[in-house]
Amino acid sequence: MEQDIVLTEVALRDGSHAISHKFTTDQVINVTKALDEANVPYIEVAHGDGLGGSSLQYGRSSTNEMELIEAAVDSCNQSKIAVLMLPGVGTVKELRKAHQLGAQMVRVATHVTEADVARQHLALGKELGMETVGFLMMAHMVSKEKLLEQALEMESSGADSVYIVDSAGAFLPHEVRERIRLLKNNLQVNIGFHGHNNLSLAMANTLVAIEEGATRIDGSIRCLGAGAGNTQTEVLIGVLERMNIKTGVDLYKMIDLSEYVAESILEHPQEITKGSFMLGYAGVYSSFLLHANRAAQKFNVDSRDILVELGKRQVVGGQEDMIVDVASELAKQR
Amino acid sequence: MEQDIVLTEVALRDGSHAISHKFTTDQVINVTKALDEANVPYIEVAHGDGLGGSSLQYGRSSTNEMELIEAAVDSCNQSKIAVLMLPGVGTVKELRKAHQLGAQMVRVATHVTEADVARQHLALGKELGMETVGFLMMAHMVSKEKLLEQALEMESSGADSVYIVDSAGAFLPHEVRERIRLLKNNLQVNIGFHGHNNLSLAMANTLVAIEEGATRIDGSIRCLGAGAGNTQTEVLIGVLERMNIKTGVDLYKMIDLSEYVAESILEHPQEITKGSFMLGYAGVYSSFLLHANRAAQKFNVDSRDILVELGKRQVVGGQEDMIVDVASELAKQR
């Protein structure tokens, strides 16, 4: 089937966050079969934080991700299973295991400034004969020049595609436009975009990315992803059809699957709440929300002011102790 | 307060559809007070189908809209209350009554080809000293040239602003861009845009409209509007702040109100479902959904195919008997 855009459905990985990592094998089989029948090219399956993410820190999976990956592989006639891995969270051991079970694509994800960390795992992916993706997370936190440098690093490490990942759902359309354009003009490999809807801009940003030459696009069916969810896959397919851009995916089958996801998987519909909005508006990690709420209570300041200040200071994951400092400073400033 | 964009909050009118016209006086007072404190310039209050809409055909309001309008007016220190009216559904009698109760803006809404029907009510609005808006509904159904002709008709009838209304949530961003641009280049009055999120494009279309010179923008808090809801007001305010475009509205107060709306008004979160998606994708009236489902069952065809065909044939409200004809034809074609 002719395709202009190659879709990766991420609900069975990113959506893991939205349901506290409680995917069952039956759910994964049902969703994967339907995606395969709808002709979705790639289906990502893993813990929300990638291979090996099941832990006290990131949240335990109720079903072992390897069991889910195996079930997904067995459910597919044509779709390929992708796995996400964050080096340090996952290891070569899990990647080898996922490959052995039949995963055909590895997406190696790093913070947008740490692309060099992906080198080993991209190389292993190539060695195993997998398709490889470099996945630059929290991409809004750096200038477009820095982003290009890191994208080139991913390319030189063997990534077949490099994604701009708007983890916090913080990008505005003109920011996506200039970044995709810059990468498109300077890289030989496929350019991808992964959006989140925290500012109600996932679809807008995705269309801009496509206009500028991105050909690899992520979506989650029924917005089953972290925060306010991702670009809603079935809606994107409909919009692209209206624009005569081919995805090769069956729209009606995806709509039927969306109804199944709403009825049988989502605990509550995905919408833009105070929390998910603030992630996008402040441009911070989702893990900061809970910490900011606690610190706000302790110092009697507005948690939103804390998040905005953390965004301004470009605080990254692992620096959670900064949250109390910021709250304390805000309290003194009053 | 300096403003680049003048917002109208439509949840207390458009949102009436989402809760089967069951707004209570207490809810309207709570929402209006909060919007007034947040400095929202205009608040629309009426039955979902405008003044006089409470009926068997459109759905009965559980509280008389005049009582709600009066309560809203009494709750405002600075915000102005707007009413929507569709000539034929509402009459001059209701408009006079709403004005008497303190409504300061009337938005006269017609199907996009029927602007001349608004003449009398726009004239009465001016005579009463109200601010007047021409509201061109289902605007995606005509060419941009036809839209311009109808917008000029609204302008010549005395509208202070003319809105492009994407009732079905069917517009793509480039379509909005060329239409707003054309109106901006040919009208003297304010240009407005009212979006729906059925294709996840309400925010994208709104930003494009603003880029092209629209200064009057509608939103509904927490997407409390028909179909998948409107451009989410509090999110729009945050996005515009990020773009240094001034609305004069207090973001945090709007976020707090959004939480109230979710907890105390919405029966279920607004999301893009099979039904709301199909409205946007096919570009048809929301009232067609139920009829299409019934006809689909009777003729054993897919209701989605019926809706798409109705969209192609540009069937309008009042032609519901066409739905059975289309279903019957589709059944024969198989």
Side-chain angles (χ1 to χ4, degrees):
Chain A
M1 167 94 56
E2 197 189 343
Q3 293 163 333
D4 302 314
I5 298 297
V6 179
L7 292 177
T8 298
E9 170 58 53
V10 301
L12 296 177
R13 194 278 304 165
D14 210 321
S16 170
H17 293 293
I19 59 161
S20 308
H21 315 291
K22 285 185 191 145
F23 278 122
T24 66
T25 307
D26 276 351
Q27 287 171 340
V28 168
I29 290 173
N30 290 337
V31 172
T32 312
K33 275 192 176 163
L35 291 169
D36 181 67
E37 282 170 19
N39 205 30
V40 171
Y42 294 97
I43 304 168
E44 191 174 60
V45 183
H47 183 277
D49 295 286
L51 295 178
S54 179
S55 61
L56 267 183
Q57 189 187 350
Y58 297 114
R60 288 215 188 274
S61 302
S62 56
T63 303
N64 185 295
E65 64 188 342
M66 293 302 169
E67 189 179 323
L68 300 181
I69 290 166
E70 187 170 20
V73 168
D74 291 346
S75 305
C76 287
N77 285 314
Q78 56 192 346
S79 300
K80 293 175 180 169
I81 300 303
V83 292
L84 183 81
M85 74 167 307
L86 284 63
V89 176
T91 67
V92 293
K93 192 178 144 201
E94 281 108 15
L95 178 53
R96 284 184 188 279
K97 175 76 180 168
H99 170 256
Q100 205 179 356
L101 294 174
Q104 297 184 67
M105 175 191 274
V106 58
R107 314 211 299 175
V108 185
T110 74
H111 184 68
V112 64
T113 55
E114 313 298 316
D116 58 336
V117 169
R119 192 167 281 274
Q120 184 197 167
H121 303 87
L122 287 170
L124 177 59
K126 294 307 284 182
E127 186 190 316
L128 295 171
M130 300 175 86
E131 188 173 342
T132 54
V133 173
F135 210 64
L136 291 165
M137 299 188 295
M138 297 294 278
H140 74 283
M141 292 187 74
V142 298
S143 68
K144 58 181 189 295
E145 292 76 18
K146 181 72 181 174
L147 182 63
L148 173 61
E149 170 204 297
Q150 296 290 302
L152 288 166
E153 167 72 31
M154 286 286 195
E155 183 181 56
S156 75
S157 297
D160 299 315
S161 308
V162 177
Y163 266 71
I164 296 182
V165 182
D166 186 13
S167 313
F171 269 131
L172 301 175
H174 70 273
E175 296 168 338
V176 173
R177 185 181 298 283
E178 58 189 20
R179 281 160 179 77
I180 295 282
R181 185 177 292 175
L182 189 67
L183 264 58
K184 188 71 191 169
N185 285 338
N186 288 280
L187 272 72
Q188 306 304 313
V189 298
N190 306 310
I191 310 299
F193 181 73
H194 172 103
H196 277 272
N197 202 37
N198 301 340
L199 295 181
S200 201
L201 285 167
M203 188 66 68
N205 287 339
T206 296
L207 295 186
V208 164
I210 290 172
E211 260 178 54
E212 295 296 332
T215 54
R216 298 289 175 132
I217 298 292
D218 286 6
S220 61
I221 193 151
R222 202 69 170 216
C223 287
L224 179 48
N230 308 86
T231 313
Q232 193 168 337
T233 316
E234 71 280 21
V235 179
L236 175 63
I237 292 163
V239 168
L240 293 179
E241 275 193 16
R242 287 269 311 275
M243 299 171 77
N244 295 314
I245 296 173
K246 292 185 183 60
T247 63
V249 179
D250 186 303
L251 174 63
Y252 285 5
K253 286 181 179 163
M254 292 297 281
I255 295 171
D256 292 338
L257 176 57
S258 170
E259 296 292 294
Y260 167 79
V261 166
E263 283 159 23
S264 306
I265 300 184
L266 269 174
E267 289 162 5
H268 46 80
Q270 292 284 80
E271 54 173 348
I272 305 175
T273 62
K274 178 180 176 179
S276 53
F277 168 76
M278 284 308 300
L279 293 181
Y281 180 71
V284 295
Y285 286 75
S286 56
S287 59
F288 288 4
L289 274 184
L290 188 61
H291 294 286
N293 286 340
R294 284 187 191 141
Q297 204 154 22
K298 186 172 168 192
F299 291 93
N300 194 26
V301 294
D302 194 316
S303 63
R304 295 172 290 199
D305 289 330
I306 300 175
L307 292 168
V308 167
E309 187 59 30
L310 292 168
K312 277 187 195 153
R313 296 191 189 181
Q314 306 241 316
V315 174
V316 296
Q319 299 181 305
E320 278 79 0
D321 50 338
M322 293 276 292
I323 297 174
V324 172
D325 296 348
V326 165
S328 159
E329 284 177 43
L330 288 173
K332 280 179 202 148
Q333 280 167 25
R334 265 189 326 212
Chain B
M1 166 96 56
E2 198 190 343
Q3 294 163 333
D4 301 315
I5 297 297
V6 178
L7 292 177
T8 297
E9 169 58 53
V10 302
L12 296 178
R13 195 279 303 168
D14 210 323
S16 169
H17 293 295
I19 59 161
S20 308
H21 315 290
K22 283 184 193 146
F23 278 122
T24 66
T25 307
D26 276 352
Q27 287 171 340
V28 168
I29 290 172
N30 289 337
V31 172
T32 312
K33 276 192 175 162
L35 292 169
D36 181 65
E37 281 169 20
N39 205 31
V40 171
Y42 294 98
I43 305 168
E44 191 173 61
V45 184
H47 182 277
D49 294 287
L51 294 178
S54 179
S55 60
L56 267 184
Q57 189 186 352
Y58 297 113
R60 289 217 187 273
S61 303
S62 57
T63 304
N64 185 294
E65 64 187 340
M66 293 303 169
E67 188 179 325
L68 300 181
I69 290 167
E70 187 170 20
V73 169
D74 290 347
S75 304
C76 288
N77 286 313
Q78 56 191 346
S79 300
K80 292 175 181 171
I81 300 304
V83 292
L84 183 82
M85 73 168 307
L86 284 64
V89 176
T91 66
V92 292
K93 191 178 144 202
E94 280 109 14
L95 178 53
R96 284 184 188 278
K97 175 77 178 164
H99 170 256
Q100 204 178 358
L101 294 174
Q104 296 184 66
M105 176 192 273
V106 58
R107 314 211 300 174
V108 185
T110 74
H111 184 67
V112 64
T113 55
E114 313 299 316
D116 57 337
V117 170
R119 192 167 280 274
Q120 182 196 167
H121 303 86
L122 287 170
L124 176 60
K126 294 308 282 181
E127 187 190 314
L128 295 170
M130 300 176 85
E131 189 174 340
T132 53
V133 173
F135 209 65
L136 291 165
M137 299 187 296
M138 298 295 279
H140 74 282
M141 293 187 75
V142 296
S143 68
K144 59 182 188 296
E145 292 76 19
K146 180 73 181 174
L147 181 63
L148 173 60
E149 170 204 297
Q150 297 291 302
L152 287 166
E153 167 73 30
M154 286 286 195
E155 184 181 55
S156 74
S157 298
D160 299 314
S161 307
V162 176
Y163 266 70
I164 296 181
V165 181
D166 186 14
S167 314
F171 268 131
L172 301 175
H174 71 272
E175 296 167 339
V176 173
R177 184 180 299 283
E178 58 188 20
R179 282 160 179 76
I180 294 282
R181 186 177 291 177
L182 189 66
L183 265 56
K184 188 72 190 168
N185 285 339
N186 288 280
L187 273 71
Q188 306 304 314
V189 297
N190 305 310
I191 310 298
F193 181 74
H194 172 103
H196 277 273
N197 202 38
N198 301 338
L199 295 181
S200 201
L201 284 168
M203 189 66 69
N205 288 339
T206 297
L207 294 187
V208 164
I210 290 172
E211 260 178 55
E212 294 297 332
T215 54
R216 298 289 175 131
I217 298 292
D218 287 5
S220 61
I221 193 150
R222 201 71 169 216
C223 287
L224 179 48
N230 308 86
T231 313
Q232 194 168 337
T233 316
E234 71 280 20
V235 179
L236 174 63
I237 291 163
V239 168
L240 293 180
E241 274 192 18
R242 288 269 310 277
M243 299 171 78
N244 295 315
I245 296 173
K246 292 185 183 63
T247 63
V249 179
D250 187 302
L251 174 62
Y252 285 5
K253 286 182 180 163
M254 293 296 282
I255 295 172
D256 292 338
L257 176 58
S258 170
E259 296 293 292
Y260 167 79
V261 167
E263 284 159 22
S264 306
I265 300 185
L266 270 174
E267 289 162 4
H268 46 80
Q270 292 284 79
E271 55 174 348
I272 304 174
T273 61
K274 177 180 176 178
S276 52
F277 168 77
M278 284 307 300
L279 294 182
Y281 180 71
V284 295
Y285 286 74
S286 56
S287 59
F288 287 6
L289 274 183
L290 189 61
H291 294 287
N293 286 340
R294 282 186 192 143
Q297 204 154 22
K298 185 171 169 192
F299 291 93
N300 194 26
V301 294
D302 194 314
S303 64
R304 295 172 290 201
D305 289 330
I306 300 175
L307 292 169
V308 168
E309 187 60 29
L310 292 169
K312 277 187 196 154
R313 296 191 191 181
Q314 306 241 316
V315 175
V316 297
Q319 299 181 304
E320 278 79 1
D321 50 337
M322 293 276 292
I323 298 175
V324 172
D325 296 348
V326 165
S328 159
E329 283 177 43
L330 288 173
K332 280 179 201 147
Q333 280 165 26
R334 266 187 329 212

